[in-house]
Amino acid sequence: MPPVVLGDTKLKTRLALVVEYDGECYAGSQWQPEVLTIQSEIEKALYKLTGESARVTMAGRTDAGVHAAGQVVAFDTESSLEERAFVSGLNHFLPLDIAVKSARRMSLAFDPRRHASKREYEYFILNSATRSPLWNGRAHRIAGELNIDAMNHACQLLIGEHDFASFTSNTEDEERTTVRYMYHASARRDGRMVIVRMMASAFLLHQVRNTVGTLLRVGQGKMTLQEFQSIINTCEFGLAGPAVPSYGLYLKSVYYEEGF
């Protein structure tokens, strides 16, 4: 959809991007002063491509070290470049650890965060007695054998609408609801790799990492299913965990009711 033009005045349109990135070298996705972030790098690339100082908004915030395969970002532009030109042009200016996968013009009402209906994360656990240089900074290593069946039984307890206060230590969440709807939670083994997948309406700060840390205690035989259920029911801030490292976490997809 081309920009709307009234006479010689070109109006802004909103462009949405699907972005993939390796978060190892970044202080998170959102802009922060004097540090590298995913947002700051995208905004710099946009300026180089279009000459516009555009502010980027994101579907979800990822912490330092967290990766993404399907982050959604949006910004307003007066540029008449086609979507494919934005993809190739931004990838030319972006560092190699950030890539735009697709672009699409949206209505000016589109908000990548508020309009997202589901977010999907995966956490990678290298279940191996020895380290792997190939997975260093990409997966969290656990040496002892994990009971995947027990972890999956615990995952089933997470599905549905719950107050997930126990799975965040962010005291700011006390001022707003900590109720979320979990659509899917599972653990599967693929060779030496164990992948925990979660899909929810939204996630609290560090919720996924605290949840995986608690699931690992179940898989290691250090926590019973009854104790896991008690953590869910207690709704006490910071009760779950310990949080696993950020580098094993991937934002896989963001979903929208109207499609994207």
Side-chain angles (χ1 to χ4, degrees):
M1 183 178 78
V4 178
V5 178
L6 296 178
D8 294 329
T9 304
K10 188 180 294 184
L11 297 183
K12 289 184 178 180
T13 60
R14 187 155 296 172
L15 202 75
L17 311 173
V18 176
V19 180
E20 179 179 317
Y21 53 81
D22 178 342
E24 181 178 10
C25 297
Y26 298 93
S29 59
Q30 289 191 324
W31 186 90
Q32 301 173 54
E34 300 181 359
V35 294
L36 284 176
T37 66
I38 303 300
Q39 181 179 350
S40 64
E41 291 301 303
I42 294 174
E43 290 177 353
K44 284 191 289 185
L46 279 169
Y47 182 78
K48 292 175 182 177
L49 179 65
T50 67
E52 299 173 326
S53 297
R55 178 60 72 196
V56 164
T57 58
M58 297 190 170
R61 175 182 177 178
T62 56
D63 294 333
V66 176
H67 317 293
Q71 175 74 273
V72 177
V73 307
F75 60 93
D76 292 342
T77 179
E78 293 181 354
S79 172
S80 59
L81 288 172
E82 295 183 356
E83 287 93 330
R84 61 184 179 180
F86 267 101
V87 174
S88 60
L90 288 173
N91 285 336
H92 174 75
F93 291 113
L94 284 167
L96 293 178
D97 49 10
I98 306 174
V100 176
K101 308 302 290 183
S102 64
R104 179 179 174 183
R105 292 195 184 274
M106 308 293 288
S107 75
L108 287 174
F110 175 73
D111 185 312
R113 182 183 64 83
R114 290 193 302 108
H115 292 164
S117 59
K118 300 175 186 175
R119 295 161 176 84
E120 181 180 3
Y121 282 88
E122 288 186 336
Y123 195 90
F124 282 69
I125 302 157
L126 179 65
N127 195 196
S128 172
T130 59
R131 68 180 183 272
S132 169
L134 295 178
W135 281 100
N136 184 47
R138 303 291 182 275
H140 176 45
R141 184 170 70 89
I142 295 293
E145 188 73 14
L146 293 172
N147 185 334
I148 305 303
D149 287 339
M151 292 174 68
N152 265 312
H153 283 305
C155 282
Q156 295 308 302
L157 301 176
L158 296 168
I159 294 175
E161 186 175 81
H162 301 283
D163 185 337
F164 286 104
S166 294
F167 295 87
T168 180
S169 55
N170 184 22
T171 55
E172 293 181 6
D173 284 323
E174 293 184 60
E175 304 300 323
R176 50 184 180 263
T177 181
T178 50
V179 174
R180 300 290 187 272
Y181 195 97
M182 186 75 71
Y183 292 94
H184 178 91
S186 66
R188 64 180 175 89
R189 180 180 292 279
D190 184 2
R192 295 184 301 163
M193 195 65 65
V194 174
I195 303 165
V196 177
R197 174 177 170 243
M198 281 180 269
M199 182 191 296
S201 55
F203 289 92
L204 303 169
L205 183 64
H206 301 154
Q207 180 181 343
V208 178
R209 291 167 56 197
N210 283 321
T211 303
V212 173
T214 314
L215 289 171
L216 283 174
R217 292 167 65 189
V218 174
Q220 293 168 320
K222 298 177 180 178
M223 177 181 289
T224 66
L225 291 175
Q226 291 75 19
E227 290 170 329
F228 188 88
Q229 180 70 70
S230 177
I231 288 176
I232 298 174
N233 295 342
T234 303
C235 303
E236 180 180 326
F237 284 89
L239 189 60
V244 287
S246 61
Y247 53 73
L249 183 58
Y250 297 75
L251 173 58
K252 185 178 181 182
S253 297
V254 183
Y255 299 89
Y256 297 87
E257 293 294 345
E258 298 180 0
F260 177 71

